[in-house]
Amino acid sequence: MRPSRREFVKWVTASGIVLSMSRVGSAEEAGFATRETLPGRQNWNPAANGAGRIDGVAKVTGGKLYASDFRAADLPGWPANTSHAMLIRAPDATHVYAGMDLARLTGSLKPSMVVSAADLDKIGTRVPEFYTGDLFCPVGRTPLYMGQPVALLIFEQFDAFDQARLALRDGTFVKFGEETGPIVMPHYGAFRFTRVAGPTPDAPDVYSPVKNGWVSPGRFQDTERPIWTRLPIPTGLAYAEAATHGEKIRADLAASDPAVLVLDREFETQSVDPMFLEPEGGIAWYDAGRKYLELVVGVQSPYEAAESVAFLLGNASAAFKPVRINTHFAYFGGGFGGRDHTPFPLYVALAAMFLPGRPVRLAHDRYQQFQAGIKRHAFKMHTRIGVDRASGKIVAFVADHVLDGGGLANFSPSVATVAANAAIGIYEVPKVDVTTVVLHSRGVTAGSMRGYGTLQTMTALETLVDEACSALALDPIEFRRRNALKTGGRIMAGNPYSVPIRAPEILDKLEKHPIWQQRAAEKAGARAGTLVGTGVACVTKNYGTGGDSSLSTVEIDPDGRIAIHCDACEMGNGIGTAVANRVAAYLGGVADEVAVLRVDTFGPLALVTSGNSFTMDQKTQDAAAKNPRWVPAISTATAASGGAHVGTHAAAEAARVVFRFGLWPAALELWRIASTDPKARDWQAARWKDGQLLMPGLAPLALPAVAAKAHARGGVTGAMAHSFNRWAWSQATFAIAGQAWTADIDALAVRKGAGKFVRLDRSSVKFPPTTFNRFGSTYTSPCGALVRLEIERATGALRIAKAYSVLECGVPLVPEVVLGQAQGGFAMGVGYALLESLPPYEGGPGNGQWNLGQYLVARGSDLPLRDLEVEVLPPLPNAGPKGMAEVVMIPVVPAILNAIFDATGHRFQSLPVTEAMLRGALT
């Protein structure tokens, strides 16, 4: 039930380096298991009353959980003393880097080691493909972007490190030579999404991405911009077909048909920082004698981080190539996408390799996090919408998106495609044409961040919809209702959602709410000098990536104590409590132990993978699937919006196996029901209540008694499962206890009694077809928002007086987390709409001088702390959990902008809308 935290049973090989990955332990060994355990032993049962968090007490009492908490002395077997490192970054990306002047670091302030690009070349490191670009800018070359690292300084003593950090903060010691201007690099991705619906809703599309495939332009101008029009060339016929349909849609909108209202607008959004509470941090130790590299980091993508470090050092010279890398993963204080595929662990590893024998800690302060951390993409959007004046129905939508991707590609192509596919929001539009391109720039790298591009495009859309309502004198909610996508209707990619469409229910809630009903009276009754406005917005956000996997182990001991291990990450999303509550529905009790961030305990499955799950063709997948241990992806990054849906899935499936083949047969024996009795097949009718198994007409059975009997008879008492999702779950059949068991998993191992886990080879498997990679999404959650605000006419000061958010998320596994995410999402939306902004280049965060003195985030005084109401629609019958962490912030932004228009009569087309901008518009 409690394997050692330092026992590694999952081994993979990369470049001859053995990798192991585990959940990090703590210096307080005796106390760690208690802190990692749900509070069920204290009669505080989250499964029963929806209260409590596995990680809550430890976090609020200062337990060592986060990556930045750990020092060498906290880690068993490590040397006691910690050394410290700092990354030096280029504050300029228009001049040649000429080296560093470290003369001000005299005496004890001199670093023990300075690591540069030349040193990496000398030892033979490699940059993983995802992070293509120099890890350090070489002397004599212009930096790729502002904030690109130029060196790593390592100090053996903290005092020297601390004083040096302050002495070097202004960045003037980084020397530059001739001016070259910024480096021009190819764009990161360009796509066109065009759909022409058939003559009726049930008719096949004339053209769509699902039907015809995703396309990119094949030719480019002398600048980095693609040529979007169809070219008279024999190549690129697939793109030419999309361009033909797309240009026809554009021509129709430009035709000045008096029966159609056409609005043509431009909208611009800014770069912002994720602003997670804990800046990135980690610690590593290279034991040169054993050639073991040990790391402690906090990331959203643990499996990828370990493999990337192995690739980095896989071809290094002998002294710098470990034979084993043990990567330990800690909790981290917020992610918001900014810790998904971050290069930070690579630098943590390098720090240890260049000071062997001494544990080295690398941890950003807030200045460094602003300079280095992944940012939200700035967007420039040109949108056109056509609305039939007679019916109030949207007939066509066109948009062109240009994203600033910053210095490295990161997830820019993916953000661009998700944003484009979200550009028509909750609406059904028969003709759509959206182009999108992500450009390299000298700005700080932009990548994955909560909202993932949909925040930008749906803000532009919902303000455009509001303007159309004003132009046509249509009620904003009625207009949305007329145009809302119906269940079974096709989204922009041409596929339907696979979940019920509940946007109409959201709109009904918004319409009936007092904030909306009383909007005219509140405006009319505003006090002198104050303008009052009410705004509405309704959006939907996909959850899942189309390439997600889930790993879990569920075990029960003879006393009925439950243990769960899963590979999902805890980053404030309550995943430990969520997975425990989902398992409790099958096993009747809250888990006594839940371990998250575990990628080390699934060795019995012996999983292998190959290829890219997002790009492989069907023939390749079919051939690979003949190996019963092959899966399209072993372990993937955790996103808060995917936690409930993806992170708990394998655990739920494993718990079903334990119940069906362990607890249920034990219960039958206790009830003295023969296996041949028809009642023996009614296992799905059984229910747990207050720790007892109930069946009509039979005596209740307590969980400990059932568990003890399951162990005594050698039934299944543990299950280990893997699952994969490409907009649908993989499905396989296994032989368990002589019966065929088909479930939404693709790998399974079981333990009987007190035995060991034994892998069961699948007899058949169905992975989702690779054509599903053409889908825009099939999973979505809707959310609507109402905002009433007051603006002082003389000063432009804005106050949010009341707000209401209503969302749908299926079954809420931890209701308090849903509420907390909605409240936090509202605050993030307020910051994005009114406060937060980072200049993209010179003067921006890449200069290393930014902190919370310049960067404004939403504070309590900016929020309606006592006047924010959050409502969650009750789940439909047979509903499962859905992702909601991203969608809750998206409608807040356009609702605020629409309320500003209602109050002032002025529409703002860029963010943030500051007090100064409001004052200027009013005067």
Side-chain angles (χ1 to χ4, degrees), residues 253-519:
L253 282 178
S256 300
D257 183 349
V260 178
L261 169 72
V262 176
L263 296 178
D264 186 319
R265 299 290 182 265
E266 293 188 357
F267 201 94
E268 189 169 344
T269 65
Q270 74 280 36
S271 168
V272 300
D273 191 87
M275 265 307 299
F276 30 76
L277 290 179
E278 178 206 27
E280 292 180 273
I283 186 170
W285 165 46
Y286 182 48
D287 182 346
R290 295 186 302 159
K291 304 195 75 171
Y292 278 23
L293 174 61
E294 308 265 357
L295 298 99
V296 175
V297 291
V299 295
Q300 291 176 243
S301 45
Y303 204 86
E304 179 275 339
E307 290 188 316
S308 292
V309 172
F311 185 88
L312 173 75
L313 302 172
N315 278 0
S317 58
F320 289 87
K321 181 178 179 179
V323 299
R324 176 170 293 169
I325 299 175
N326 298 333
T327 311
H328 314 275
F329 298 103
Y331 287 6
F332 44 98
F336 308 121
R339 299 183 201 256
D340 182 356
H341 286 55
T342 166
F344 187 83
L346 304 178
Y347 295 106
V348 177
L350 289 172
M353 297 305 298
F354 278 92
L355 194 67
R358 296 292 300 265
V360 184
R361 179 176 182 263
L362 176 65
H364 287 331
D365 61 20
R366 189 61 69 181
Y367 286 101
Q368 294 161 338
Q369 189 63 43
F370 269 113
Q371 189 178 24
I374 294 166
K375 304 294 184 273
R376 185 186 298 284
H377 289 84
F379 271 58
K380 292 182 179 179
M381 293 165 279
H382 183 194
T383 58
R384 280 135 289 177
I385 193 170
V387 183
D388 179 72
R389 293 179 183 272
S391 65
K393 298 292 288 290
I394 302 172
V395 296
F397 178 86
V398 166
D400 301 295
H401 304 157
V402 180
L403 289 65
D404 187 336
L408 298 177
N410 198 267
F411 279 109
S412 280
S414 176
V415 172
T417 61
V418 171
N421 276 284
I424 59 171
I426 66 169
Y427 306 110
E428 187 164 25
V429 185
K431 295 181 179 181
V432 185
D433 185 49
V434 178
T435 71
T436 183
V437 60
V438 198
L439 307 180
H440 166 270
S441 79
R442 64 187 184 280
V444 179
T445 298
S448 173
M449 187 172 167
R450 174 164 290 182
Y452 213 78
T454 65
L455 175 65
Q456 294 93 318
T457 58
M458 280 194 269
T459 293
L461 172 70
E462 282 295 290
T463 55
L464 190 64
V465 163
D466 201 67
E467 185 175 356
C469 293
S470 296
L472 295 172
L474 289 173
D475 178 84
I477 293 179
E478 173 57 27
F479 178 86
R480 288 171 167 85
R481 186 182 288 114
R482 289 185 195 181
N483 288 281
L485 185 73
K486 300 175 179 61
T487 297
R490 299 187 185 104
I491 65 174
M492 193 173 73
N495 63 279
Y497 290 125
S498 62
V499 294
I501 305 298
R502 302 188 69 184
E505 295 173 67
I506 297 287
L507 292 170
D508 290 346
K509 290 283 187 179
L510 294 170
E511 186 176 51
K512 295 174 183 176
H513 196 275
I515 291 178
W516 189 250
Q517 292 291 318
Q518 298 166 10
R519 64 191 188 282

Side-chain angles (χ1 to χ4, degrees), residues 703-755:
L703 174 60
V706 180
K709 175 60 72 173
H711 273 266
R713 64 190 307 278
V716 173
T717 58
M720 180 183 298
H722 177 276
S723 52
F724 173 77
N725 187 288
R726 184 189 287 123
W727 305 124
W729 289 109
S730 54
Q731 191 176 83
T733 300
F734 305 86
I736 311 176
Q739 300 182 49
W741 177 256
T742 301
D744 289 343
I745 55 178
D746 47 46
L748 178 66
V750 299
R751 188 194 73 184
K752 296 182 178 180

Side-chain angles (χ1 to χ4, degrees), residues 730-916:
S730 54
Q731 191 176 83
T733 300
F734 305 86
I736 311 176
Q739 300 182 49
W741 177 256
T742 301
D744 289 343
I745 55 178
D746 47 46
L748 178 66
V750 299
R751 188 194 73 184
K752 296 182 178 180
K756 295 182 178 181
F757 277 98
V758 176
R759 186 182 78 247
L760 305 179
D761 283 341
R762 60 203 184 208
S763 58
S764 65
V765 66
K766 292 180 181 178
F767 291 110
T770 59
T771 54
F772 283 15
N773 284 324
R774 294 181 175 185
F775 289 177
S777 170
T778 69
Y779 305 126
T780 193
S781 295
C783 181
L786 292 170
V787 172
R788 177 179 298 151
L789 51 78
E790 300 172 352
I791 301 173
E792 296 299 324
R793 184 184 293 274
T795 65
L798 182 152
R799 183 181 79 89
I800 298 175
K802 289 182 180 295
Y804 168 67
S805 288
V806 54
L807 66 138
E808 187 266 331
C809 62
V811 176
L813 297 176
V814 190
E816 284 74 16
V817 170
V818 172
L819 176 61
Q821 292 282 6
Q823 293 168 337
F826 189 90
M828 292 180 77
V830 170
Y832 189 60
L834 304 175
L835 300 166
E836 298 178 58
S837 184
L838 290 169
Y841 310 126
E842 287 71 30
N847 67 14
Q849 304 305 305
W850 276 70
N851 207 323
L852 291 174
Q854 301 101 310
Y855 191 78
L856 301 180
V857 296
R859 298 147 294 183
S861 57
D862 301 306
L863 304 171
L865 296 180
R866 295 177 179 83
D867 292 292
L868 169 61
E869 180 186 350
V870 177
E871 183 174 359
V872 181
L873 296 185
L876 296 174
N878 301 315
K882 297 172 66 176
M884 52 69 60
E886 294 181 88
V887 72
V888 288
M889 74 173 295
I890 298 172
V892 176
V893 182
I896 290 173
L897 295 182
N898 293 338
I900 289 173
F901 170 77
D902 186 48
T904 67
H906 184 85
R907 291 197 185 276
F908 291 90
Q909 304 294 338
S910 64
L911 297 177
V913 179
T914 64
E915 185 174 312

Side-chain angles (χ1 to χ4, degrees), residues 187 201 230 450:
H187 68 78
R230 177 174 181 166
R450 174 164 290 182

Side-chain angles (χ1 to χ4, degrees), residues 543-544 548 573 575 638-648 882-886:
Y543 55 93
D548 298 299
N573 52 343
I575 189 65
T638 296
S641 62
H645 177 246
V646 175
T648 67
K882 297 172 66 176
M884 52 69 60
E886 294 181 88

Side-chain angles (χ1 to χ4, degrees), residues 667 670-671 686-706:
L670 290 170
W671 282 322
R687 294 290 181 269
W688 292 99
K689 184 178 180 181
D690 299 328
Q692 294 191 315
L693 186 63
L694 306 179
M695 280 289 285
L698 297 173
L701 298 176
L703 174 60
V706 180

